[in-house]
Amino acid sequence: MATSPSTKVLSICFLLLSCFFITTAQTTDSIVKKEKSRPNLIKLNISAPIIYNNAIMGAYERVLSPNRSINVYGGYCEFPMPSIISDNDNLKFINNKQKSGFAIGADYRFYLGKLNKYAAPRGVYLAPFMSYYNFTNTRDINYTGGSSPEILETKFNASFFSAGACLGYQFVFKQRFVLDMVMFG
């Protein structure tokens, strides 16, 4: 049985059209893009200057598994001025000769899988932590409470070691920017 040229052309057109519809039938909705894993986070603590005078502190977080990470932090910070001294009319700080300090610490974070939509480093976490703070200050104080004003030199050196646990929440924006909030600790 011989086929006419028009039947061959029609068959080829039908075959091409059916291939075209098969390839365009897929939608991009059904293809889930896997989020690129970023196991290393470098963070800058923008709340440290609120608590400490002249502070710059940072942190490094390494994701170990979908629900665990280790966070190491540290930086420069100066001891805050106690308000009881700065509010006293008889005591005035007139010269800061030397001010320095530093902080280092680490916490091991457990991201709570049942509460979090995403894997670490996003969401609610519990973390045991250890930290060490060291402060050194040398200041001159003008004391005007006596019969004649006196200038006193004060030296202050303090070290603090702390250990405990904290509860926090960490947001990750655009896979690059992190907002880490410690709620209790």
Side-chain angles (χ1 to χ4, degrees):
M1 174 175 177
T3 57
S4 68
S6 62
T7 309
K8 285 183 182 179
V9 170
L10 240 140
S11 298
I12 291 172
C13 286
F14 179 73
L15 182 64
L16 288 174
L17 280 173
S18 64
C19 289
F20 174 75
F21 286 121
I22 290 171
T23 58
T24 60
Q26 295 178 351
T27 63
T28 57
D29 307 4
S30 63
I31 301 171
V32 177
K33 290 183 180 179
K34 187 174 181 182
E35 187 176 293
K36 187 175 181 181
S37 174
R38 298 200 188 276
N40 300 305
L41 294 166
I42 296 174
K43 304 182 272 188
L44 178 65
N45 185 340
I46 60 173
S47 64
I50 297 169
I51 300 169
Y52 304 104
N53 299 333
N54 299 328
I56 182 158
M57 298 183 68
Y60 168 76
E61 185 173 357
R62 171 73 180 177
V63 177
L64 304 173
S65 74
N67 63 349
R68 293 179 305 133
S69 73
I70 188 160
N71 186 52
V72 180
Y73 52 92
Y76 177 82
C77 57
E78 295 176 1
F79 193 74
M81 177 63 63
S83 62
I84 192 167
I85 294 174
S86 62
D87 290 342
N88 192 328
D89 291 335
N90 295 329
L91 296 174
K92 300 290 180 205
F93 288 98
I94 57 173
N95 187 16
N96 289 317
K97 293 181 177 179
Q98 188 244 346
K99 291 168 43 174
S100 65
F102 68 90
I104 57 172
D107 56 43
Y108 192 82
R109 296 182 174 190
F110 297 95
Y111 287 87
L112 306 178
K114 292 183 179 181
L115 296 176
N116 296 330
K117 181 178 176 182
Y118 300 101
R122 292 182 177 186
V124 178
Y125 63 85
L126 289 172
F129 69 88
M130 293 183 355
S131 61
Y132 177 76
Y133 291 83
N134 184 291
F135 301 104
T136 304
N137 294 333
T138 303
R139 298 178 174 154
D140 285 341
I141 299 176
N142 187 11
Y143 177 69
T144 58
S147 59
S148 64
E150 296 181 43
I151 295 178
L152 309 169
E153 181 181 86
T154 62
K155 292 184 180 182
F156 172 77
N157 189 5
S159 296
F160 304 100
F161 176 78
S162 63
C166 64
L167 171 68
Y169 193 93
Q170 185 162 276
F171 297 93
V172 179
F173 303 101
K174 303 229 182 215
Q175 299 180 4
R176 300 273 186 208
F177 302 101
V178 177
L179 178 60
D180 188 0
M181 301 184 318
V182 176
M183 293 181 261
F184 300 104

